[in-house]
Amino acid sequence: MRSLMIVFGMLAAVSVWAADWQYHAVDGEYATSIVVDEARRRVLVGTLEGYWFGDLAVGQWNSRTMPGWIGREVWAILDHPDHDQRVITGRVNAWFKGYLELTDSLETEGAVVWESNGGKVNGLARDPNDADRMYGCTWSDLVDGEALRSDDGGATWSLLGNALHHAMTSVTVGLDGTVHVSGDALVTRSDDGGSTWEAAATGLPVSEGIYVVSASPSVAGRLLACNDSGLWSSIDGADTWTQVNDRSCRSVAWGWSCGGGGPDDELAAVVTWDDAVLLSIDGGSTFSDITTDLAPAVPTVVGFSQSDRSLYAGTVEDGVWSTEVCEPVLFWDGFESGTVEGWDSSTP
């Protein structure tokens, strides 16, 4: 009799796959920023009208937008792990000046907590070692952009100068607390909370500004940066940079390891200026195009949600979409034979 072998192993490896993209909400609005609050299974999406928040547990999306109003654009958005409904948004007003707004209720409008002399607030990041320490950055207006810091969870902010830039595009904080800022001066960094800054751009083209720089949440010293030449990687805290992809890109997101393995399995995703979403399963070393049926929607920003093992993408007026990126696979880690429904596993 033919036998059916049942393997009792452990779930210790996964494959990464490009599932179909699924639409969620936010149709008709330009998505500018996205962040996933893992603890509350919530996705926050900034738009040119305000922001949306999606409750992944129940599949419900709600808006805090003001359609048609001038000066309510959100270009950066951040949650707080110790405040259930706190949302900090980086915005720009009708006179092209940036400002920060904070709310502790998803049902109400926030209060302005910082008004910039520079342009739009287009970067917000939290120190992974201190939930109350946050950083922001602004684009330039008639004056240089501004680097900002908060030590009380976004309630108040202090000016850190221009971080050696005229115009800044993003800010990120590594596992060791080092702050990196991107912009027209490529990449700069501070290891003392923004008191002093230095250039950190060896290997990057000097003639191209950086659209975004992003530090890995899992591996110290690992960063990705986008410019017109493509995607660049650093594994030494931005001491040096190496090009890993030649497609000009605009947005970067880091995920987790699908298999729960080491740093070589870390997920990363990139949005390119030619309207594609690229996925890496090896810590940003190589990337594959997973745009598939998301087209013809034009992606702008991406963010990973570990709770549903998915990548979320905001688009230009075609809504927010997601695709699963991890699929479990069993591997042979020692086994025992057994029987199922009368099949004899002892017979070859």
Side-chain angles (χ1 to χ4, degrees), residues 18-19 21 247 272 275-278 288-295 297 299:
W21 288 89
R247 296 175 74 170
T272 68
D275 307 335
V277 177
L278 310 182
S288 300
D289 192 327
I290 63 165
T291 312
T292 60
D293 60 349
L294 179 61

Side-chain angles (χ1 to χ4, degrees), residues 19 52 69 84 92 109 156 163 169 188 190 219 229 238 295 312 325 340:
W52 286 70
W69 282 62
D84 181 61
V92 62
E109 294 297 324
T156 62
T169 55
T188 59
S190 173
V219 181
S229 294
Y312 283 78
V325 291
V340 173

Side-chain angles (χ1 to χ4, degrees), residues 12 37 39 61 81 99 115 118-119 123 133 160 213 222 303 306-307 312 320 327 337:
D37 180 350
W61 288 76
Y99 66 102
E115 293 181 281
R133 175 164 286 192
L160 300 176
V213 62
R222 177 182 283 176
Q306 189 169 3
S307 64
Y312 283 78
V320 172
E327 181 181 29
S337 61

